[in-house]
Amino acid sequence: MLEYVHQAASSTSVGTLVVLHGYGADEKDLAGLHSYFPNFDMIGLRAPIALPFGGCAWYGLDFDSHGVRIIDPVEVREALSVAHQSISAIVATLGLEGLPVYLLGFSQGGSLSYGLMMSYPDRYTRGVVLSGYVYQHDALPYPLEMEYYRAIELFVGHGVQDPVVPLEMCHRSLEVLDGLSIRYTTNEYACGHTIVPNEISDIQQWLQAHRI
């Protein structure tokens, strides 16, 4: 089971918000978001790979000589499996089984959120993806037919000046969602690779309107 930090809801909980951090961060990186979502139990997971310069990663990341992003599909599949198993175990440990689970991921954690929802659509039907992208690789097929994704609803936020995950990667991801008839709300923000206040406000409104 992955290491995690749990922040309890300030009153009656409406759900469990599982937060997945980006490359080089850890389970505490996005803990400050809980003040904006106090009616959720929030669980921040720590990615399984410790990086030599500090922080953690869900899987390795490299670039070829042309600057094209390289990921190992085996590592991605392992990350999806360990995250899914850890979420189930942590929810049981905390006695939160009766609450719906929502995902919120930033950067690499956003990509993992896409992967979790598209790999386990019966378990994760609400997700917030910030500055992430859909994995597109022959070794990472999403084996289910589009009818299995009908319950999924997503909020997708991205900075128009993002130098880490360029906006075009977000647009290509939305094309994948369209091809699977997955419903989503998307907004673009005048920022780089970060989360800005008006984005948080949009997420608050979206979560309120898309309760399970």
Side-chain angles (χ1 to χ4, degrees):
M1 184 169 69
L2 295 173
E3 296 292 323
Y4 67 95
V5 59
H6 170 232
Q7 294 169 279
S10 59
S11 57
T12 301
S13 183
V14 299
T16 299
L17 184 63
V18 176
V19 178
L20 305 168
H21 65 77
Y23 186 89
D26 61 23
E27 72 276 19
K28 300 177 183 177
D29 184 59
L30 300 172
L33 291 177
H34 189 246
S35 62
Y36 299 100
F37 313 111
N39 54 341
F40 283 87
D41 276 270
M42 196 165 99
I43 298 170
L45 295 184
R46 181 194 300 175
I49 302 172
L51 298 172
F53 51 81
C56 301
W58 295 101
Y59 47 86
L61 184 61
D62 204 353
F63 297 87
D64 67 15
S65 59
H66 302 286
V68 177
R69 189 180 306 260
I70 300 172
I71 62 172
D72 183 342
V74 173
E75 285 191 5
V76 173
R77 287 198 300 271
E78 290 175 350
L80 290 169
S81 178
V82 72
H84 174 61
Q85 292 175 28
S86 293
I87 291 168
S88 296
I90 293 166
V91 164
T93 297
L94 297 174
L96 302 175
E97 297 100 322
L99 295 174
V101 173
Y102 300 72
L103 300 179
L104 187 155
F106 174 72
S107 192
Q108 194 178 71
S111 299
L112 198 78
S113 297
Y114 270 138
L116 285 168
M117 298 185 74
M118 295 170 72
S119 299
Y120 307 98
D122 56 334
R123 175 58 168 149
Y124 311 110
T125 62
R126 298 292 185 276
V128 175
V129 174
L130 308 176
S131 303
Y133 62 96
V134 172
Y135 303 121
Q136 298 181 61
H137 194 289
D138 290 343
L140 284 169
Y142 299 108
L144 302 178
E145 299 297 329
M146 66 176 60
E147 68 233 33
Y148 290 94
Y149 301 116
R150 286 178 179 167
I152 291 178
E153 296 188 50
L154 280 158
F155 177 93
V156 179
H158 215 99
V160 295
Q161 289 103 29
D162 192 332
V164 179
V165 181
L167 185 61
E168 65 182 283
M169 295 181 72
C170 172
H171 291 167
R172 289 202 298 269
S173 298
L174 298 180
E175 291 174 2
V176 174
L177 301 185
D178 289 335
L180 293 170
S181 297
I182 293 176
R183 292 172 293 173
Y184 61 85
T185 298
T186 185
N187 286 318
E188 298 174 3
Y189 302 91
C191 66
H193 195 66
T194 188
I195 303 170
V196 291
N198 53 325
E199 189 171 17
I200 294 173
S201 177
D202 289 341
I203 296 166
Q204 289 174 314
Q205 294 178 44
W206 185 86
L207 286 171
Q208 179 66 34
H210 294 82
R211 294 277 174 82
I212 301 174

